[in-house]
Amino acid sequence: MSGEFTSIHDSITSTSSAPCDGHADLLPRARHRRRVPAVFTSLRAVLGLLVVTIVMLWAIAPQVFAPYDPNDQVLIDRLKPPLTGMGTDHAYLLGTDHLGRDILSRVIHSARTSVVIGLMVVLLSGGLGITIGLLSGYLGGWVDDVLMRLADIQLAFPFILLAVTIIGVLGNSLCNIIIAVGISSWVSYSRVVRGETLAIRERCFVEAAHSIGVPTWRILTRHILPNIAASIIVISTFGVASAILAEAGLSFLGLGVPQEVPSWGSMLADGRRFVDTAWWLAVLPGIAIFATILAINLVGDFLRDVLDPYMAKC
């Protein structure tokens, strides 16, 4: 009897220790798949990162990639189509505009304008919105009411009217564009940060820190802010894309950077008069705007999936 019990126990042990026949070959591949960085499993993220990297390189060192000075005017070569003079000293890969300026050089140098404005707007609007959201969500009461009513007023104020007012008073400059777009973009940060702060301030570790007399600023910066950093990173990514698009729109309306500063929006404005005769003047900078905004949104969408704990469990 004991021998039969021993044999049954051995068979159960060997069966439980061995993987299922249908899934035995899946375990090594599953472990190997976890070693692959998540970014390489998403084609959209790879394409987005590739385009963003190219635009960042253009912004950092445009003189390395641009064949000509973006403001050099060669009137004898005005309105040359793309691929003109390839293999000669006056080759224009993307053609020239109505003043004989090289389109490729202007597109590359315009990347610096867009990247600088996008990053600085995120720093300005993000810093203002995160501060307001933290104070509003943690303190509550009349502070929350006052700050959120300011946010409602900001949402009700037209962006174009605010930009026209600021630029009309201060003048066209890179700094004024950053101020105009940054002041108009802080509400989205404050709303998200306030909502997450309202949830986190009820956690045990925040109540414990408050009960032992930890200062409010330390609770906000050491206990709450790190726990909402993922959401801030994601919304900042989309904020860069929105700022680039806003700058292009203002430059298209003549409210952007000065004329001597290359900008995708101003290139669109210059090319709209020649759409029927020189399509490349408007189409090529439009493609640059479209590709950059799409790439940043793809990267932001990937970061949202990676940093969201609920998406990670799926």
Side-chain angles (χ1 to χ4, degrees):
M1 187 70 178
S2 59
E4 294 179 356
F5 178 79
T6 304
S7 61
I8 294 174
H9 179 269
D10 294 340
S11 62
I12 294 175
T13 304
S14 61
T15 304
S16 61
S17 61
C20 298
D21 294 338
H23 303 281
D25 56 339
L26 297 180
L27 296 178
R29 287 202 294 267
R31 287 194 295 267
H32 177 72
R33 188 159 48 244
R34 292 192 189 98
R35 297 192 187 101
V36 178
V39 66
F40 295 113
T41 64
S42 174
L43 179 61
R44 295 178 299 173
V46 171
L47 293 177
L49 284 174
L50 178 61
V51 175
V52 170
T53 302
I54 292 174
V55 173
M56 291 298 297
L57 290 175
W58 286 356
I60 294 173
Q63 64 278 358
V64 175
F65 302 95
Y68 305 102
D69 188 281
N71 294 319
D72 280 349
Q73 300 181 13
V74 184
L75 297 179
I76 194 174
D77 290 335
R78 63 188 301 269
L79 298 180
K80 293 291 185 181
L83 303 179
T84 297
M86 300 304 295
T88 65
D89 294 337
H90 295 280
Y92 302 108
L93 182 62
L94 300 183
T96 60
D97 62 3
H98 60 291
L99 296 176
R101 296 174 296 189
D102 181 52
I103 296 295
L104 177 60
S105 300
R106 292 183 62 79
V107 167
I108 292 175
H109 279 267
S110 298
R112 170 175 289 182
T113 303
S114 297
V115 169
V116 169
I117 290 179
L119 295 179
M120 295 304 296
V121 164
V122 166
L123 290 177
L124 175 60
S125 60
L128 182 61
I130 292 169
T131 302
I132 292 176
L134 285 173
L135 295 177
S136 178
Y138 184 76
L139 298 179
W142 65 270
V143 176
D144 184 27
D145 293 336
V146 171
L147 294 178
M148 288 302 100
R149 297 300 75 77
L150 290 176
D152 293 337
I153 294 173
Q154 177 64 59
L155 289 174
F157 203 85
F159 165 71
I160 293 297
L161 181 58
L162 178 62
V164 169
T165 303
I166 294 177
I167 296 173
V169 173
L170 301 179
N172 287 36
S173 68
L174 193 65
C175 181
N176 295 339
I177 293 295
I178 294 172
I179 294 174
V181 180
I183 291 179
S184 305
S185 307
W186 64 270
V187 178
S188 58
Y189 294 89
S190 65
R191 292 285 191 181
V192 173
V193 172
R194 173 183 177 271
E196 300 223 8
T197 303
L198 286 173
I200 294 177
R201 74 174 184 178
E202 305 298 333
R203 300 284 183 88
C204 296
F205 62 89
V206 176
E207 294 181 354
H210 180 71
S211 64
I212 62 176
V214 177
T216 300
W217 67 268
R218 189 174 181 85
I219 293 177
L220 293 177
T221 56
R222 296 294 300 273
H223 298 281
I224 295 181
L225 188 59
N227 285 281
I228 62 177
S231 298
I232 294 175
I233 292 173
V234 173
I235 196 174
S236 298
T237 304
F238 292 112
V240 173
S242 299
I244 292 175
L245 190 60
E247 182 276 327
L250 291 175
S251 297
F252 181 81
L253 297 175
L255 302 173
V257 295
Q259 288 294 326
E260 64 271 11
V261 179
S263 169
W264 289 332
S266 60
M267 293 178 67
L268 279 174
D270 293 337
R272 62 182 173 180
R273 297 176 296 169
F274 304 93
V275 174
D276 54 343
T277 58
W279 55 268
W280 57 90
L281 269 67
V283 171
L284 295 179
I287 292 176
I289 297 174
F290 171 78
T292 303
I293 299 299
L294 179 61
I296 295 175
N297 287 334
L298 290 177
V299 173
D301 187 58
F302 170 76
L303 290 176
R304 181 194 62 187
D305 295 342
V306 171
L307 298 176
D308 189 354
Y310 298 102
M311 294 294 294
K313 293 178 182 179
C314 297

